[in-house]
Amino acid sequence: MQYFEYYDVSEIAVIETRCKNLTNIKSYAIVIHDKDLLDSWEPKKKHFHIVLTFKNATTIWAVAKWLWVECQYIEKIRTTTKSAMLYLVHRNNPEKFQYDPKDVRASFDYVEYVDGAKPMQQRDNIAEKIAKWEIKQYNLYDFISVDEFARNRNYYNNCFLFRQQKMKTQDRDLRCIFISGPSGCWKTTFAKDYANELGYNCYISSGWKHPLDNYEGQECIILDDIRPTTYEYNDLLKLTDNHTDSLVWCRFYNKSIAECKLIIITTVIPIREFAEFWADNNDTAEQLLRRFGLSVVIDKDFIRYYYYEPIYKKYELATERNNYITKKYQNSWAWNREFVISVADIMEKSAKLTET
């Protein structure tokens, strides 16, 4: 890509001639962009794009020399050639101005190439959005049809595997919350509300043998109503590690939870008792406790928030509030009561009709 104000010619025919004269050139495609906008909605300066392919390996220096540009204005294609070709008219970027394929000067029939690439265009566009994590595994179905998914399921799964490999090179910033309290205190509802306030999608597991079998990259994992026996201790330590991602054990293959930003455990067991279930000494328990910076204790009347103090190795009460969940959902209790009464009335009338 080069701006015309920094180039020695403004005629596309001259640029095309320079492309044709390149050594071992296989194909070229050139387009002028004069209707692009900056993020500030101001017009972008007039420039041109060239996509080149070669029969044999060549150097950026050689290409720069023949096109009369500096080496920094040329780079190797980092996606696919097809995606780069489609970018010339912004087919794979619908939010940008859509140029007419007839405006592209190429060594092949570019119009036919673009029209014949529509299925691939969708795949390439979605693949790029997966790589940028604009499309998640759990909402992929909002962007493709059932037929497209059935025909290219392995392709999209490989895209997500690529994303997981890419995430391994990045630092992890995971938060862990422990919620405990007796049954019937809306612990899971509180956990979902907390995640929703942060804008996270939730994956809710239960205490079966493989709790993360159906995990699809949601930002929040709620390990619902689990017991110390649900996980081996070392597996739970790896799962809740705040800074290092590791694969978690699933039934068919191990999964990465690198995209998870928040893990919430709900259980009837207090956090200290939960951590000391495996502990042969205090340090073993502290390994797990340090991962949970926030412990929430819920009963029918109050929600108490505790933060972990690593110096004194204990949880300190931060604040206490009324259990708003109870009031928020008390209407559902009333609905349940009315529903039960109405069902009983119907059954009683049905019995009388049968007797009659």
Side-chain angles (χ1 to χ4, degrees), residues 140-141 144-154 156-157:
L140 172 65
Y141 322 106
I144 62 174
S145 65
V146 62
D147 179 65
E148 169 68 13
F149 179 75
R151 287 187 289 106
N152 297 296
R153 179 177 182 177
N154 289 335
Y156 292 119
N157 285 339

Side-chain angles (χ1 to χ4, degrees), residues 83 86-98 121 125 128-129 132:
S83 179
L86 293 172
Y87 180 80
L88 295 178
V89 291
H90 291 158
R91 276 291 179 88
N92 47 1
N93 293 83
E95 72 280 3
K96 296 185 178 182
F97 181 84
Q98 299 297 295
Q121 170 194 346
N125 189 27
E128 290 183 6
K129 290 182 181 296
K132 297 176 182 177

Side-chain angles (χ1 to χ4, degrees), residues 301-332:
D301 298 317
F302 297 101
I303 300 176
R304 297 178 176 88
Y305 301 82
Y306 297 84
Y307 68 94
Y308 184 71
E309 176 52 70
I311 296 177
Y312 301 104
K313 297 182 179 180
K314 65 178 182 178
Y315 283 92
E316 299 283 355
L317 179 64
T319 185
E320 176 183 278
R321 297 180 180 177
N322 292 329
N323 190 341
Y324 72 93
I325 302 289
T326 301
K327 295 180 179 179
K328 184 176 181 180
Y329 291 95
Q330 62 184 359
N331 290 334
S332 66

Side-chain angles (χ1 to χ4, degrees), residues 98-124:
Q98 299 297 295
Y99 291 92
D100 190 338
K102 295 179 181 178
D103 294 335
V104 177
R105 301 184 71 152
S107 59
F108 54 94
D109 190 337
Y110 184 83
V111 175
E112 182 180 349
Y113 176 90
V114 170
D115 291 339
K118 288 181 179 178
M120 184 62 71
Q121 170 194 346
Q122 181 190 29
R123 281 177 49 180
D124 287 347

